[in-house]
Amino acid sequence: MFSRNDFNIWSVLKNCIGKELSKITMPVVFNEPLSFLQRMTEYMEYAKLLRIASEQATPLERLKYVSAFAVSALASNWERLGKPFNPLLGETYELTRSEFRIICEQVSHHPPISAFHADSGSFRFHGSIHPKLKFWGKSVEIQPKGTVTVEFPKLNEAYSWSNVNCCVHNVIVGKLWIEQYGMMEVVSHQHGMKATLNFKPSGWNNKDLHRVEGYITDRNKRKSHFLYGKWTDFIKCTDYASYEEYVKENAHKFKRNADDRSKSPNESPGNTPRKVLSKLNSLKMSSFKSLSIQEPDDPPEPSEGDIPKSDSTYSIDIPNSISLWEAESRPANTADYYQFTNFAMSLNQLEDYMKQPRTLCPTDSRLRPDIRKLEQGDMDGAAAEKTRLEEKQRETRKKSKKGQEEQVIFPRWFKQDINPHTKQEDWIYKGGYWDRNDDNLELDIF
């Protein structure tokens, strides 16, 4: 990867007050060489957990492993500070592995929405993500709007949840670092059980850095099990009685200090003083839309310009725990390659069989020239191709509106419908991708 030391992200973001960040063109130096569709596919790095879940004898045991999968999907985000490329309307990405196959498609350009559908012999996993970005003055918050669903068809079961927020700290001063925080509810629709997970903000003394804690409750809302760990490393589970006994002897590991319990009334997201936010807020009051300066429930970031480090004093290891998931270590040279995991490093690979005619869909992210050039180290070429593709997409949209150009109707593989489990509107896979025939179609989006 290129060094970003000579580039100031503030020089871009200072022009973003009052604008939607999704509409801001970022310099390619801030990108990583993957499309958001490929980044979304990283959900599947630990897909084996869903296979293991499907093999469990009881709904309770299945919920444990589905919850571990929900947490594991976020592990690759740690230290990943590069922005994935925005997919073009109609762009697709496919991946086949021993545990699953997945198809992703950009189903909407404004607002940007990405849909995916993965399946195997034992599960289906699908959903859509509509990322929202907010700039707080010192940090950027990413809200992955949308719900994802796991189905076990042979068991007639489904589980769903929404991902938690992500925050990039120290945008203006200091070293960038990333944090996941918020509440996640993994719901078992057929059995009335729920896993409620709290992704904790690090707090002033960093004792909660990366920590995830939560409970499994039955349909009568009784707590039966305690889940805990770090979204960067592992998730364990123990019975609730063992957890209560452990808390009695280790209360200091769970209670927050007074400094952590409430933030100062003069502080706001990213530890930005209110008077500064007032100045920023007064610059452009017309429309904040997805970008707004307001006060969420998260505490301020730990300290000025620092990257927090975990305090082992507060590590938790409860007796009678079982390990549900452990993150695989990253390659030794990951810092030179955008902090990619081994799984991420494989995602843009053009395998030999994909180079055969009519094998890979012409809209696949692997064929994007801007991403490929960045991967090869051609920064100027990547920037030029990125600009060309954006202009081409705008021109195509203008022509189609005027009826001057016949084109394949996008999206091809997903349709808006009601998710039968959540009862909410969602993008549902129509089928047919793996049996498609693109011979007579003009699919020139790149």
Side-chain angles (χ1 to χ4, degrees):
M1 63 177 285
F2 287 89
S3 169
R4 300 189 180 107
N5 293 338
D6 297 332
F7 296 88
N8 183 359
I9 194 170
W10 173 243
S11 65
V12 178
L13 290 179
K14 69 182 180 183
N15 299 316
C16 297
I17 302 300
K19 298 179 182 178
E20 292 187 48
L21 290 191
S22 61
K23 295 182 179 180
I24 301 299
T25 300
M26 299 289 285
V28 75
V29 70
F30 295 117
N31 284 91
E32 64 177 21
L34 290 177
S35 164
F36 182 73
L37 299 183
Q38 294 166 306
R39 184 75 178 258
M40 192 166 62
T41 301
E42 293 185 57
Y43 266 69
M44 304 304 296
E45 181 169 1
Y46 299 98
K48 67 179 180 182
L49 292 172
L50 294 182
R51 191 232 331 135
I52 293 171
S54 72
E55 297 167 351
Q56 301 305 302
T58 66
L60 173 61
E61 293 301 313
R62 291 192 284 275
L63 177 58
K64 290 179 185 179
Y65 281 99
V66 171
S67 300
F69 172 77
V71 176
S72 76
L74 304 177
S76 68
N77 288 342
W78 175 236
E79 297 188 316
R80 291 279 292 283
L81 299 169
K83 178 184 179 295
F85 283 74
N86 293 332
L88 304 173
L89 180 63
E91 184 176 331
T92 59
Y93 182 72
E94 66 171 73
L95 188 68
T96 302
R97 291 287 188 265
S98 59
E99 294 275 5
F100 67 91
R101 64 180 185 180
I102 185 172
I103 168 63
C104 310
E105 183 176 19
Q106 190 70 3
V107 295
S108 173
H109 184 59
H110 289 303
I113 303 175
S114 308
F116 68 91
H117 181 94
D119 58 43
S120 76
S122 55
F123 67 82
R124 289 194 293 260
F125 177 48
H126 56 88
S128 56
I129 305 295
H130 172 196
K132 291 274 192 179
L133 278 72
K134 296 184 179 183
F135 174 46
W136 300 108
K138 283 179 56 181
S139 58
V140 173
E141 182 184 43
I142 301 99
Q143 299 177 340
K145 302 286 187 181
T147 301
V148 297
T149 302
V150 167
E151 299 176 9
F152 298 127
K154 294 176 183 177
L155 300 168
N156 194 30
E157 284 183 359
Y159 302 78
S160 64
W161 66 92
S162 296
N163 283 315
V164 295
N165 292 347
C166 177
C167 187
V168 179
H169 293 281
N170 296 343
V171 169
I172 303 174
V173 177
K175 294 183 178 180
L176 296 174
W177 65 280
I178 201 166
E179 182 174 31
Q180 308 268 177
Y181 59 92
M183 301 298 294
M184 174 189 286
E185 288 189 343
V186 183
V187 178
S188 169
H189 292 282
Q190 281 66 38
H191 303 286
M193 293 184 298
K194 181 190 299 183
T196 303
L197 300 168
N198 181 12
F199 289 68
K200 296 190 172 189
S202 61
W204 288 103
N205 59 5
N206 303 332
K207 80 170 193 176
D208 288 334
L209 184 65
H210 305 155
R211 269 172 66 169
V212 181
E213 294 176 7
Y215 310 94
I216 292 179
T217 53
D218 62 20
R219 64 173 63 253
N220 297 315
K221 299 183 178 180
R222 289 190 297 256
K223 296 175 181 176
S224 64
H225 286 77
F226 181 70
L227 295 163
Y228 66 99
K230 294 186 176 185
W231 59 267
T232 53
D233 292 316
F234 69 91
I235 287 294
K236 293 183 179 182
C237 182
T238 188
D239 62 277
Y240 197 67
S242 294
Y243 159 70
E244 288 187 307
E245 187 66 28
Y246 184 84
V247 171
K248 289 178 185 177
E249 300 175 5
N250 300 273
H252 69 283
K253 295 184 178 182
F254 295 89
K255 289 182 180 179
R256 283 184 173 273
N257 294 331
D259 286 343
D260 290 336
R261 268 196 294 271
S262 62
K263 57 187 175 184
S264 162
N266 293 318
E267 298 295 338
S268 54
N271 197 20
T272 309
R274 279 187 174 173
K275 59 183 180 181
V276 174
L277 287 184
S278 297
K279 281 189 176 181
L280 293 174
N281 212 9
S282 66
L283 294 178
K284 294 185 180 180
M285 291 293 290
S286 56
S287 173
F288 275 74
K289 298 181 181 177
S290 71
L291 170 70
S292 57
I293 294 177
Q294 55 190 26
E295 294 205 32
D297 295 330
D298 59 313
E301 63 187 43
S303 55
E304 184 74 31
D306 291 340
I307 298 179
K309 291 181 171 55
S310 181
D311 188 339
S312 60
T313 307
Y314 299 103
S315 61
I316 299 171
D317 191 9
I318 304 175
N320 304 317
S321 294
I322 61 165
S323 178
L324 299 173
W325 162 73
E326 288 186 17
E328 293 185 10
S329 58
R330 298 190 183 186
N333 58 355
T334 183
D336 297 326
Y337 294 94
Y338 300 89
Q339 302 290 352
F340 280 5
T341 62
N342 281 308
F343 185 83
M345 285 185 176
S346 72
L347 294 179
N348 207 42
Q349 177 69 17
L350 264 174
E351 306 289 352
D352 288 341
Y353 77 89
M354 296 176 179
K355 299 174 184 176
Q356 303 300 317
R358 296 181 296 279
T359 300
L360 193 63
C361 188
T363 53
D364 195 276
S365 300
R366 296 176 183 86
L367 302 176
R368 278 189 64 157
D370 51 353
I371 294 178
R372 186 65 62 189
K373 284 184 180 295
L374 181 60
E375 182 182 272
Q376 294 168 345
D378 182 359
M379 179 71 72
D380 293 338
E385 286 292 346
K386 182 171 178 281
T387 300
R388 182 185 67 79
L389 289 177
E390 290 167 350
E391 291 176 349
K392 180 176 182 177
Q393 183 168 236
R394 282 191 289 268
E395 193 62 31
T396 300
R397 195 159 54 244
K398 286 179 186 176
K399 287 182 178 179
S400 64
K401 284 182 179 178
K402 294 178 180 177
Q404 296 175 354
E405 186 174 288
E406 284 190 27
Q407 57 180 146
V408 176
I409 300 300
F410 295 122
R412 291 178 71 195
W413 308 111
F414 292 82
K415 63 178 179 179
Q416 277 190 298
D417 208 341
I418 299 299
N419 183 316
H421 306 291
T422 65
K423 311 303 181 187
Q424 302 294 316
E425 192 172 79
D426 203 350
W427 286 89
I428 306 298
Y429 178 53
K430 294 191 291 188
Y433 176 84
W434 302 102
D435 304 314
R436 71 190 182 283
N437 185 340
D438 300 323
D439 288 356
N440 301 315
L441 294 177
E442 184 64 36
L443 296 169
D444 181 25
I445 66 172
F446 301 140

